[in-house]
Amino acid sequence: SSAASDVYKRQHLARHLIQADGHRVCCFDRNDKVAGVVGDWIKGDITLLEELSRAFETTQPDVVYYLCSQFRFSRPSAVLDAWQDSFAVLDCIVDALPVGARLVYVGSCAQYGKVDPAELPVVEDRRCEPVTDYGFFKHGEELHLKKILRHAGKSGCFARVFNVTGPGEPERMVGGAFASRPVSYTHLRAHETE
């Protein structure tokens, strides 16, 4: 899926893997290739095992990064619906994942929940106690993935990522919003002096 934050994460991850480490990168997305995207592109539906399996057969990945959870929380019961849909996608990914390839699940710091300042910096083995629907959702995905990977005898690792920030970050994300403010403030100040 191509949510703005995930396109941003995908771009930076792909550039790093290609430029710093010389890896071949292939993005799998249901949308047409976005302008400026580095790496190869396979258009397909992650919910369809046949399409995902074909993409993995074509690319023979060593590592698969799962960056985008699919969810909408428009009403309280939507969280359960989102989990069911997400678990079906995760099941499909693990079923299609080639033996020997490793799945990297990109979770969220929201999985930790409220952290006392005395506990900073947060370490990876800190107990997760999410407090938001998003945190519960991401933690549920991680737990489900751990279970199905173990059952399938496949390998995965899990990252609970904090805010990813840098050049090109969308304005709807925290870093992009902060970066856009001086421009807006300067524009406002110019009008005050006229």
Side-chain angles (χ1 to χ4, degrees):
S1 180
S2 291
S5 63
D6 297 302
V7 169
Y8 174 74
K9 288 180 217 170
R10 176 175 58 203
Q11 278 300 93
H12 285 275
L13 177 62
R15 277 195 185 97
H16 174 76
L17 291 171
I18 292 169
Q19 293 171 356
D21 298 331
H23 292 282
R24 178 175 171 246
V25 173
C26 182
C27 297
F28 183 81
D29 197 297
R30 66 175 165 238
N31 298 307
D32 291 325
K33 187 172 183 175
V34 179
V37 171
V38 297
D40 297 327
W41 191 271
I42 295 178
K43 184 176 178 178
D45 188 338
I46 198 169
T47 66
L48 300 176
L49 180 60
E50 183 178 300
E51 289 187 17
L52 193 54
S53 295
R54 191 174 320 116
F56 287 161
E57 287 170 15
T58 302
T59 59
Q60 294 294 305
D62 296 317
V63 180
V64 173
Y65 292 88
Y66 182 67
L67 302 176
C68 185
S69 302
Q70 300 179 11
F71 60 89
R72 288 199 176 97
F73 302 138
S74 55
R75 61 191 191 294
S77 64
V79 175
L80 295 176
D81 295 339
W83 262 339
Q84 289 175 337
D85 294 344
S86 175
F87 287 2
V89 167
L90 297 174
D91 291 345
C92 184
I93 292 169
V94 171
D95 285 347
L97 188 69
V99 174
R102 183 169 220 190
L103 178 66
V104 177
Y105 174 75
V106 180
S108 169
C109 63
Q111 294 172 242
Y112 291 117
K114 187 174 181 179
V115 178
D116 187 288
E119 294 181 81
L120 297 176
V122 176
V123 293
E124 291 177 8
D125 62 353
R126 182 192 184 273
R127 190 170 139 191
C128 290
E129 299 174 303
V131 295
T132 64
D133 285 344
Y134 180 71
F136 277 106
F137 181 81
K138 295 298 280 185
H139 191 56
E141 280 191 329
E142 180 179 312
L143 293 173
H144 182 71
L145 262 175
K146 285 179 177 179
K147 180 185 79 174
I148 61 176
L149 283 166
R150 188 177 333 109
H151 180 74
K154 295 182 179 178
S155 176
C157 66
F158 303 85
R160 298 182 191 131
V161 178
F162 286 73
N163 291 334
V164 177
T165 188
E169 182 176 354
E171 285 186 25
R172 74 166 196 80
M173 296 171 62
V174 70
F178 287 144
S180 70
R181 287 183 186 216
V183 172
S184 297
Y185 181 75
T186 302
H187 178 73
L188 289 173
R189 297 288 295 166
H191 286 290
E192 285 178 9
T193 59
E194 291 178 356

